[in-house]
């Protein structure tokens, strides 16, 4: 029998939840409840002006409507000091460097592409910027990997994995427009919240290579991962807020039965035009 699992659903309040979010929440909830564990809700609200506090209330209502019981943990905006301390520690280890390259400059200079797009070519690592005001801070993945040594991690659907953080290149750890990057914040949050099974979509599979490296560098515990499939639209791309996927809140207010919807998702029966993909390389 599996030991009790602690999982989490961690939405960002920059747009309403949609069917894809419902599926992700159900997968995390059921993984925890099936083992007698705990299902956590964490609001990832450090996306600057795009984060809207009122949406967090909608998220809670949506989860209750789906019949999911959860425990809420502190939101990311309460943890800025922890993120800063971790970034300072990485900087003191000589593993971060400032970068002033724009996204357009990175795209123009990149010669390699990874799961998240153009791989940063190390421009500012080789030629440090003359002005260090308001840079982003990148992880020197080669140096960090040498320090950490060979690493592995375990996905409950795909088995043991060898960590290959170089496939993402020198990722951003500290941002200009918000405190911490997703990589740093999510890794620290999961450790702080005691998450034992990180349940999330297959589109984040590659990110786990970086997260495993950060765990070792920062002395954090190692969880297991479960990367589930994603719901995609007629164009083959995953459902997304920015493409106006129908919201759970609208369906809830229209009187739809949320518990019945949750059961159809568990049975992998979806709305017309929506299908299931287990690909690790979906287009964003």
């Amino acid at each position: 029998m599996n030991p009790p699992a602690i999982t989490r659903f961690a939405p960002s309040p920059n747009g309403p939840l949609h069917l894809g979010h419902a599926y992700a929440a159900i997968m995390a909830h059921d993984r925890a409840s099936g083992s007698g564990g705990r299902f956590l809700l964490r609001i990832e609200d450090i996306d600057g002006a795009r984060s809207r506090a009122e949406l967090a209330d909608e998220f809670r209502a949506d989860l209750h409507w789906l019949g999911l019981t959860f425990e809420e943990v502190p939101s990311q905006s309460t943890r800025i000091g922890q993120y800063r301390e971790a970034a300072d520690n990485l900087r003191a280890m000589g593993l971060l460097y400032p970068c002033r390259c724009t996204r357009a400059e990175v795209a123009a200079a990149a010669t390699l592409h990874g799961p998240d797009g153009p791989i940063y070519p190390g421009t500012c690592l080789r030629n440090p910027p003359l002005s260090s005001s308001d840079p982003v801070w990148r992880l020197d993945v080669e140096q960090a990997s040498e320090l950490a040594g060979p690493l592995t991690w375990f996905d409950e659907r795909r088995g043991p994995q060898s960590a290959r953080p170089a496939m993402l290149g020198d990722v951003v750890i500290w941002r200009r427009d918000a405190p911490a990057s997703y990589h740093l914040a999510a890794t620290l949050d999961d450790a702080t919240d005691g998450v034992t099974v990180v349940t999330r979509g297959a589109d984040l599979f590659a990110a786990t290579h970086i997260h495993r490296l950060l765990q070792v560098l920062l002395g954090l515990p190692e969880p297991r991962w479960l990367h589930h499939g994603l719901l995609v639209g007629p164009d083959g791309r995953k459902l997304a807020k920015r493409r106006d996927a129908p919201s759970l809140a609208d369906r809830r207010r229209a009187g739809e039965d949320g518990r019945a919807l949750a059961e159809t998702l568990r049975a992998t029966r979806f709305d017309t035009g929506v299908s299931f993909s287990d690909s690790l390389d979906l287009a964003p």
Side-chain angles (χ1 to χ4, degrees):
M1 181 176 178
N2 289 330
I6 303 174
T7 68
R8 88 298 192 268
F9 176 57
S12 299
N14 54 21
L17 300 186
H18 54 64
L19 207 60
H21 293 111
Y23 185 78
I26 290 166
M27 291 298 99
H29 171 273
D30 290 1
R31 176 63 181 86
S33 64
S35 66
R38 299 163 57 210
F39 171 56
L40 311 179
L41 170 65
R42 182 175 68 233
I43 304 298
E44 298 197 338
D45 58 348
I46 57 170
D47 199 12
R50 296 179 63 208
S51 291
R52 295 156 51 195
E54 68 274 12
L55 283 176
D57 290 331
E58 295 285 345
F59 295 172
R60 297 178 189 103
D62 290 339
L63 294 181
H64 287 305
W65 174 68
L66 291 167
L68 307 183
T69 301
F70 59 88
E71 301 173 42
E72 188 163 356
V73 296
S75 66
Q76 286 189 332
S77 60
T78 68
R79 301 176 173 186
I80 305 303
Q82 181 185 9
Y83 305 150
R84 183 173 290 110
E85 180 180 2
D88 288 344
N89 288 341
L90 293 172
R91 194 177 293 110
M93 296 165 69
L95 299 178
L96 300 187
Y97 62 91
C99 173
R100 295 187 60 81
C101 297
T102 65
R103 290 185 181 182
E105 289 169 339
V106 172
T111 58
L112 298 174
H113 282 68
D116 290 340
I119 294 178
Y120 184 67
T123 305
C124 291
L125 178 62
R126 296 188 304 270
N127 300 292
L130 296 178
S131 170
S132 60
S133 61
D134 196 31
V136 301
W137 289 83
R138 292 184 178 273
L139 180 68
D140 185 335
V141 169
E142 181 178 358
Q143 187 175 350
S145 297
E146 290 178 0
L147 180 62
L151 300 173
T152 59
W153 54 278
F154 189 84
D155 182 84
E156 292 192 344
R157 298 186 65 234
R158 294 174 174 85
Q161 306 289 322
S162 295
R164 295 179 291 133
M167 72 165 66
L168 281 86
D170 290 357
V171 297
V172 172
I173 294 296
W174 198 260
R175 298 163 52 186
R176 291 190 190 96
D177 55 342
S181 71
Y182 168 74
H183 297 300
L184 181 64
T187 301
L188 288 169
D189 291 342
D190 288 338
T192 298
D193 296 334
V195 172
T196 61
V197 181
V198 178
T199 304
R200 59 191 182 196
D203 56 326
L204 290 169
F205 189 89
T208 306
H209 294 282
I210 288 288
H211 297 185
R212 183 71 192 104
L213 175 59
L214 289 173
Q215 287 164 355
V216 171
L217 296 174
L218 295 170
L220 304 176
E222 177 186 358
R224 293 161 74 95
W225 282 265
L226 193 165
H227 293 90
H228 56 75
L230 298 165
L231 305 194
V232 299
D235 59 0
R237 295 193 295 175
K238 69 175 183 176
L239 301 182
K241 300 172 186 175
R242 65 182 180 277
R243 288 192 284 274
D244 297 324
S247 76
L248 298 184
D250 285 344
R251 301 175 75 142
R252 171 166 50 84
R253 294 191 183 98
E256 186 172 348
D257 186 332
R259 291 174 182 264
L261 175 61
E263 288 306 313
T264 66
L265 291 174
R266 288 185 174 99
T268 62
R269 299 196 305 271
F270 309 120
D271 292 353
T272 302
V274 175
S275 58
F276 182 77
S277 174
D278 211 16
S279 173
L280 297 180
D281 56 0
L282 279 174

